[in-house]
Amino acid sequence: MVALAALVQICAAGAAGQVTARNPLSRRRDLLSNGLGLTPPMGWNTYNHFHWNISEEIIRETADAMVSSGLAALGYQYINLDDAWAEHERDPQGNLVPDAATFPSGIKALADYVHSKGLKLGIYSDAGNLTCSKLQPGSLGYEEQDANTFASWGIDFLKYDNCHDNGLSPKVRYPVMSKALLNTGRSIFFSLCEWGREDPATWAPAVGNSWRTTGDISDHWESMLRRADENDKWASYAGPGGWNGLMILNSLETDPDMLEVGNGGMTNDEYIAHFSIWALAKSPLIIGCDVRAMSNETYQILSNSEVIAVNQDRLGVQGRKVKEGDLEVWAGPLTNNRVAVVLWNRGSSRATVTAPFSDIGLRADLADARDLWVHMTIPSVKEQISADLDSHACKMYILTPK
Ligand SMILES: *[C@@H]1O[C@H](CO)[C@@H](O)[C@H](O)[C@H]1NC(C)=O
Ligand SMILES: *[C@@H]1O[C@H](CO)[C@@H](O)[C@H](O)[C@H]1NC(C)=O
Ligand SMILES: *[C@@H]1O[C@H](CO)[C@@H](O)[C@H](O)[C@H]1NC(C)=O
């Protein structure tokens, strides 16, 4: 974690903003023809909770828990390995090799297991010479070979990281893997994780199905606000087939060890705001906690099907901040002329937040307001919606014009 954060800073400071001769946008149609990501991806990733300590047992048990908890039925379908699944060295033919100690059955067998549960398996590599952990080789210079390996294993998703970049721009490195994945003939969701370097929203829609717009998030209020705000300015670049990716949903977990060492964490109201804003912003909803041992509070947040429905709405327009300050309004259009709105008190004391319908794009004076966290409908609301909110709390509604 610490090492990665340091790297992000170094890279950000050294970002040269090079423009390459190739214009990736000209490839848009070809590279999006994988047909994936019509709505933001939903699933789970190993990194937030397990870091580099992962194993096939963890993956199988998580797949089981995704199904038994009901999260799979709500749309969370990708089970994604992050860093540290492979041996330090390639085999004599140059192939990546699953770690013999932690993935003894191999990735193909794991993919078969995950598929048997009706889920999809994601894998991780890096557009550099080594992955961020330095525990396994990166794919730079091996894009075709690694893409073919992933396809032969039945992989459905690739998260492609940005460490040890050999001094090359992401605009040079990422399209090579994008093309290699397409050439395999298997539909593999391509998730760019280059931490927002060189404004990926402006070129990555040609290259992948989602792209991180920011650096890592950490599990506290200020970090969450910063990432939400940084991501907001790229809203107009997102749409079906390609999404602005905020970092994987923060842990949403009560980890006693972390609390013991005073490691921050957020309150339940703050996690609810986090999930509401990520959903409205059409971010990938990738869970970071140990779903085998989720708290009830965490489950209640992640399983809110009405909030998920906003994220997965077919219109695919990223909601954005329409009123700034301590008392914020975020909103975005949905199918059938509906509007999703989040009223959010970012200030330090209880206050009323108000959104006039004219500010949030609702073309009506009268609307039914569905409260997505209380699960009740307020009929015939006139001209504006407002709520009294505790510090850091939010309300999320869908407004349906009458
Ligand atoms: C892996 O687990 C061990 C023991 O629980 C822990 O000390 C170590 O920090 C973990 N490593 C990572 C990278 O999370
Ligand atoms: C990194 O990988 C590239 C592509 O395979 C190679 O040309 C280069 O020599 C490598 N650099 C280092 C420092 O290993
Ligand atoms: C889980 O949380 C919900 C909402 O906070 C609450 O209504 C319910 O009683 C809780 N269930 C258990 C088993 O604690």
Side-chain angles (χ1 to χ4, degrees):
M1 252 342 212
V2 172
L4 182 59
L7 249 170
V8 171
Q9 276 178 356
I10 290 161
C11 291
Q18 286 171 290
V19 178
T20 61
R22 276 182 284 179
N23 176 8
L25 287 174
S26 64
R27 294 189 184 170
R28 182 178 194 124
R29 184 155 291 121
D30 282 346
L31 294 182
L32 288 180
S33 68
N34 70 7
L36 300 175
L38 296 181
T39 61
M42 295 174 63
W44 174 83
N45 171 289
T46 51
Y47 186 75
N48 266 27
H49 188 81
F50 297 100
H51 302 271
W52 302 329
N53 292 323
I54 61 177
S55 69
E56 61 181 51
E57 284 77 23
I58 290 173
I59 304 304
R60 280 199 298 262
E61 289 173 16
T62 298
D64 294 348
M66 284 296 239
V67 173
S68 63
S69 66
L71 290 175
L74 287 163
Y76 294 95
Q77 59 171 343
Y78 288 106
I79 305 291
N80 293 345
L81 303 175
D82 207 280
D83 204 346
W85 58 267
E87 290 284 350
H88 294 61
E89 305 295 338
R90 292 173 181 273
D91 74 9
Q93 288 73 46
N95 297 307
L96 291 170
V97 182
D99 188 304
T102 50
F103 291 87
S105 316
I107 305 296
K108 173 80 171 70
L110 192 58
D112 290 347
Y113 184 82
V114 167
H115 292 156
S116 78
K117 297 269 153 180
L119 299 168
K120 296 178 184 300
L121 186 67
I123 207 157
Y124 166 100
S125 192
D126 186 283
N129 291 58
L130 285 170
T131 62
C132 297
S133 67
K134 301 187 191 173
L135 294 171
Q136 64 185 70
S139 292
L140 189 67
Y142 292 83
E143 291 87 351
E144 287 280 334
Q145 185 165 4
D146 291 351
N148 286 332
T149 300
F150 299 153
S152 75
W153 288 340
I155 289 295
D156 305 296
F157 185 114
L158 174 65
K159 171 180 170 181
Y160 205 39
D161 216 340
N162 198 32
C163 289
H164 312 288
D165 62 10
N166 206 33
L168 296 168
S169 162
K171 291 178 184 173
V172 172
R173 289 173 288 122
Y174 282 75
V176 182
M177 180 55 91
S178 184
K179 201 153 184 263
L181 291 173
L182 261 196
N183 288 344
T184 67
R186 185 176 173 83
S187 296
I188 299 177
F189 189 106
F190 189 35
S191 166
L192 283 70
C193 181
E194 51 82 272
W195 320 320
R197 285 186 59 196
E198 299 187 34
D199 299 342
T202 63
W203 52 272
V207 176
N209 300 110
S210 70
W211 47 89
R212 276 266 298 276
T213 54
T214 74
D216 281 8
I217 187 173
S218 53
D219 194 10
H220 62 84
W221 171 249
E222 294 298 337
S223 171
M224 192 264 284
L225 294 188
R226 197 160 55 242
R227 296 319 183 202
D229 291 349
E230 285 169 1
N231 185 61
D232 184 47
K233 70 177 181 183
W234 303 111
S236 63
Y237 295 89
W243 306 100
N244 288 315
L246 281 151
M247 182 174 178
I248 53 177
L249 250 189
N250 217 344
S251 25
L252 282 170
E253 67 184 306
T254 316
D255 181 336
D257 293 339
M258 286 178 63
L259 290 179
E260 246 171 43
V261 297
N263 215 353
M266 294 193 276
T267 66
N268 206 48
D269 274 349
E270 292 168 348
Y271 281 125
I272 286 173
H274 178 29
F275 194 67
S276 300
I277 293 293
W278 263 231
L280 183 83
K282 306 292 153 90
S283 172
L285 297 180
I286 306 292
I287 298 171
C289 70
D290 183 355
V291 297
R292 302 169 308 174
M294 273 177 297
S295 68
N296 183 26
E297 289 78 5
T298 294
Y299 179 75
Q300 294 300 324
I301 294 173
L302 296 174
S303 65
N304 186 326
S305 59
E306 298 197 70
V307 174
I308 291 170
V310 169
N311 182 257
Q312 297 291 304
D313 184 77
R314 288 274 154 186
L315 192 60
V317 175
Q318 179 172 333
R320 46 190 323 175
K321 189 187 311 216
V322 297
K323 188 167 157 234
E324 202 156 3
D326 277 355
L327 308 180
E328 290 198 339
V329 176
W330 293 60
L334 302 175
T335 46
N336 301 324
N337 300 315
R338 296 169 306 150
V339 170
V341 59
V342 177
L343 308 179
W344 192 12
N345 179 3
R346 288 167 49 153
S348 55
S349 55
R350 192 173 167 84
T352 303
V353 182
T354 300
F357 290 174
S358 55
D359 287 2
I360 56 174
L362 190 76
R363 293 191 296 270
D365 292 336
L366 208 57
D368 289 337
R370 177 71 180 175
D371 183 325
L372 307 188
W373 287 105
V374 176
H375 306 296
M376 278 176 43
T377 301
I378 311 166
S380 300
V381 177
K382 266 201 192 104
E383 287 170 8
Q384 63 177 38
I385 185 147
S386 51
D388 289 328
L389 298 168
D390 284 337
S391 166
H392 296 186
C394 77
K395 280 275 192 186
M396 187 173 194
Y397 301 97
I398 290 178
L399 300 172
T400 304
K402 297 198 87 167

